[in-house]
Amino acid sequence: MWERLDLLTELANEADAPSLLSVARSELPRLTEGWRALLAAHEPDEKGNCPECSGRWRQQKSPCSVWRAAYEHLVAGGLAPRPARHLRSAPVTPPVTRSRRGMVVRAH
């Protein structure tokens, strides 16, 4: 997953215009569908909690970190004023888990 994102970033930064247009036409629909699926999974339930981020003993109110990250990257971009450092939440990083074979893998 990380390699794919690195490749797309590299193409965005270094590809010529025709190549960039081709990549945009093929990848943008895939990226938007991926965001839609991710956000749908984190859509708040009837109590206003994120079903994916909530656990048995601790409920995560919406908007969860996934929705906040989506808003920051897709809507606000670099144009939104950043909150004061003491008001910022921790950066969103994918959780690290171990596969059945003991390999470290990142979720998302």
Side-chain angles (χ1 to χ4, degrees):
M1 195 64 197
W2 296 113
E3 290 173 8
R4 180 71 170 174
L5 293 172
D6 290 343
L7 173 66
L8 291 173
T9 299
E10 183 179 338
L11 287 169
N13 291 329
E14 299 177 15
D16 58 26
S19 299
L20 187 56
L21 181 59
S22 176
V23 168
R25 284 190 173 141
S26 66
E27 296 299 323
L28 281 176
R30 293 177 58 190
L31 289 170
T32 56
E33 285 305 310
W35 273 107
R36 283 186 180 103
L38 184 63
L39 292 173
H42 289 265
E43 191 72 25
D45 62 16
E46 64 280 349
K47 295 179 183 177
N49 297 320
C50 173
E52 291 293 318
C53 295
S54 295
R56 182 176 184 180
W57 304 109
R58 182 173 174 246
Q59 299 300 306
Q60 174 63 52
K61 285 292 183 191
S62 187
C64 67
S65 61
V66 172
W67 270 93
R68 289 191 308 269
Y71 181 84
E72 177 68 29
H73 292 283
L74 299 174
V75 178
L79 301 177
R82 297 199 64 184
R85 181 176 295 265
H86 68 282
L87 297 176
R88 291 184 204 156
S89 60
V92 177
T93 55
V96 175
T97 57
R98 296 205 178 267
S99 70
R100 291 183 198 169
R101 296 182 183 165
M103 296 174 51
V104 173
V105 293
R106 292 186 187 268
H108 300 297

